[in-house]
Amino acid sequence: MTLNFRISIQFYPIFLGIILTATTGSFAQHKANSNGNSLKQSIALIDSAFQHNNAEDFNKLVPIKGVQDFYASVVEEKIKKLSGKSKIILVSKDSALVFLSGILLYGNSGDETNYAANYTGIYKFERVAGSWSLKSRIEIDRLNQIKKHRLGINIIPGKSITVKDTLTIDINDSYGFATRLNHTAKLKKLTLNGAETEFSFDAGLLLLKARRKNGQTLTLEYSINVEREETDKNSAYFGDAYGHLRNQYVWHPFFSFSSPNDRADFSLYCTIPKAYYLATSLPQKEMVIGGSRIVEAKSLNPTFGLSIYYDKDWEVNTFRKDHIDLVVYATKDFLPEKRALYAEFSKSYDTLQKHFGKPIGNYLGIVQDRSNTDGWKNRSNSIVVAGVKGSTLITDKPNPRATFGHEVAHGWTNPTGPATNFLTEGWATYAESILLASVYGDSITTTFFKSQKQNYFNGKFDGKSSLWEDYSNNGVSYAKGAWLFYILSHQLGKKHLSTAMTNFIQSGDQSIKSFTSHLSAVAQSDMKPFLNSWLKSKEIPVLEILQSGNSIEILQAGDLFLFPLEFKIRLKDGTYLTKTINMQTKEQTLTISEGVIESFIVDPGSKLLFTMK
Ligand SMILES: [Zn+2]
């Protein structure tokens, strides 16, 4: 156990007894016969193997590939590791749930918390022939949900953060409730529905015993001394002049980067000394009272995590376009100049509005992070984070990108549920193609989508990730997502896609179901089979094309996709034909009656994302 927790125990002796008894448990009931391991022995063996550097021993005890890979990499990287405080959660006859924890110590505590999450968690043990052993891992979020956070935060620049988080949670798992939280957090108080409750907190996992019930209120009060390590500033850095906490620092509770069950509504009340400016990653309002700057913020769409940035030397400038605030949090010398940012914002806004109507968002923050190198660094909720300086806003080479316009386009969608990142990143990347064409002309569109196809393969998403399940935003939704919009623009016509998109945006329901029904309405046919083939497959179409006489046979060698496929055919008499076949099955034939085929080109306009077998 870490020192931090001992301190919290001293403050709140009421928990001491619970924690100690919970650790040792009532092992008498789980004794093995004389030949096998008792549950306690089995756990002790795993704890010991975790601390040593012997993969063979560890793998025998923990037969889970992902955890074994993690252990091997920790050993290889020579990271200091300590087994934490394991705990038996519950036992029923020949099976048990056990909290196993391992602490890693190598750098930033947020990174340590995330890395340790590969091991620290809840495991199922079973007793076979009198001997207990580990069988499988239980995902902490499988039956529980985090629905709301109400956060009160006080920031002491250069030092620490204190947090009171009131969460609304649904608990439906027999083990209770567990969430990740930065492993150096000093918990001062924890209540469930207003009452103190049994919990343990170790290696970045907070576990509490709880009844199954929806709409419970979990309140946590804690503080974190934030690092100010000059060589490791990515996840968090609290300098005297500027600093930040990124969501990956796990400075407030959440399940993981890829859970569908912790997308929650946030409201925030922050205080910081008034000499500092503060940018949450959400639309915000601020005021100064006495010596404090107070910032209040609210999430626009459900999210798992927030980021926070502060800086003493920023100037905060607000530009208004219709109902949208563009707020730039940056020092005077920031580049691109704030007025150039606004001009680009305004231009992108006008182009997108012409096609898709008014956006639903009302805020875009541009935040300078002076601890970072130049460039656009990341997006977090409603802000775009730059380094000391930003970078190119739009470019046609080497690969066309409307980097800044992409961020502006995010103001048009606000989805939840499956395929969220298709409707977020796929949409914004598709919007880039429209913005690029408005600046460089239509011919740039095919170049843009060729480079997106390359991105899809470079990202190694093929066979691994679908748009439907990309909760973690692993990258697949950008290229393949943009391509799906592009294919839809050919299937429906650009104008119809614009109409469907405009209706979807204004509908107030940005689920994939709503998207599908708005597309179906303009197409006057059910678009679900078409969309699902692209959203649910982890592949793209793999085609095999065979000619025999005047027939061209098209075979789909992988998953079945629905799409239109164009052919340019040269006939023996020297004339050309363009034919489109709507693929709906794995084998279809295009037969030509206009003459004799001499040669043909598949997809001459590069309108489809596919590979040849
Ligand atoms: Zn984006």
Side-chain angles (χ1 to χ4, degrees), residues 104-130:
L104 302 177
L105 299 167
Y106 64 93
N108 181 279
S109 59
D111 301 337
E112 289 171 349
T113 302
N114 286 315
Y115 202 12
N118 286 293
Y119 173 67
T120 300
I122 299 170
Y123 293 85
K124 190 176 179 191
F125 283 63
E126 277 174 17
R127 178 163 53 186
V128 178

Side-chain angles (χ1 to χ4, degrees), residues 139-170:
E139 294 308 325
I140 58 168
D141 62 331
R142 61 178 186 168
L143 295 169
N144 295 337
Q145 280 206 307
I146 300 176
K147 298 212 140 148
K148 247 187 240 174
H149 293 262
R150 206 171 69 235
L151 281 159
I153 302 162
N154 182 42
I155 293 170
I156 305 175
K159 197 165 178 268
S160 65
I161 180 168
T162 57
V163 179
K164 179 175 179 181
D165 192 1
T166 306
L167 301 101
T168 305
I169 55 177
D170 288 353

Side-chain angles (χ1 to χ4, degrees), residues 561-612:
F561 288 82
L562 275 57
F563 54 88
L565 181 61
E566 218 173 75
F567 286 86
K568 189 175 180 183
I569 299 164
R570 187 186 153 90
L571 301 176
K572 288 249 157 80
D573 67 6
T575 58
Y576 287 91
L577 289 175
T578 301
K579 291 273 177 186
T580 301
I581 183 164
N582 275 309
M583 291 298 293
Q584 290 179 321
T585 58
K586 283 221 168 182
E587 292 183 34
Q588 275 172 246
T589 306
L590 177 67
T591 305
I592 302 301
S593 54
E594 289 89 338
V596 181
I597 298 176
E598 186 183 89
S599 61
F600 62 87
I601 302 169
V602 187
D603 188 32
S606 302
K607 293 177 182 170
L608 182 72
L609 179 65
F610 73 104
T611 51
M612 294 299 288

